Amino acid sequence: VSQSRYLFIPNAFTPNGDGNNDFFSIYGKLNLLVFFEARIFDRWGEKVFESNNPYFTWDGTYLGVAETPGVFVYTMKATFIDGYSRTDYKGSITLIK
């Protein structure tokens, strides 16, 4: 039986409170994950968000303060129910206001 290991990671979001694209999160077969880790860093390398929950949402804040528009970097690790593991999910997210 073939199981899809597809994860979609958006590259932009707009946390401006209009109800559209207000949170950064991932999509796909999240129920097939047995381990997950996500970290988001600002342009100076400071970690601004971290989660072990694949159903996470990030609202673009750090310590309760809204981040300024810009580009952030993420790293993610995932292990799927069939034992397949990836530690090289890396990319950028653009926060647009």
Side-chain angles (χ1 to χ4, degrees), residues 64-81:
V65 178
E67 290 285 342
T68 59
V71 177
F72 295 79
V73 176
Y74 68 82
T75 63
M76 295 184 194
K77 299 177 184 179
T79 301
F80 294 83
I81 198 166

Side-chain angles (χ1 to χ4, degrees), residues 1-75:
V1 175
S2 175
Q3 294 188 13
S4 172
R5 298 184 196 114
Y6 177 75
L7 295 181
F8 174 70
I9 305 170
N11 60 5
F13 74 116
T14 58
N16 56 12
D18 69 355
N20 293 315
N21 235 2
D22 285 336
F23 300 96
F24 172 74
S25 59
I26 63 171
Y27 305 92
K29 299 280 187 166
L30 304 181
N31 60 326
L32 298 180
L33 293 170
V34 294
F35 171 81
F36 179 79
E37 177 182 276
R39 294 179 179 166
I40 300 173
F41 303 89
D42 65 16
R43 61 192 275 181
W44 297 279
E46 184 171 2
K47 184 172 46 176
V48 296
F49 181 80
E50 180 175 35
S51 179
N52 290 349
N53 182 351
Y55 298 95
F56 77 91
T57 58
W58 180 47
D59 61 359
T61 63
Y62 176 57
L63 299 177
V65 178
E67 290 285 342
T68 59
V71 177
F72 295 79
V73 176
Y74 68 82
T75 63

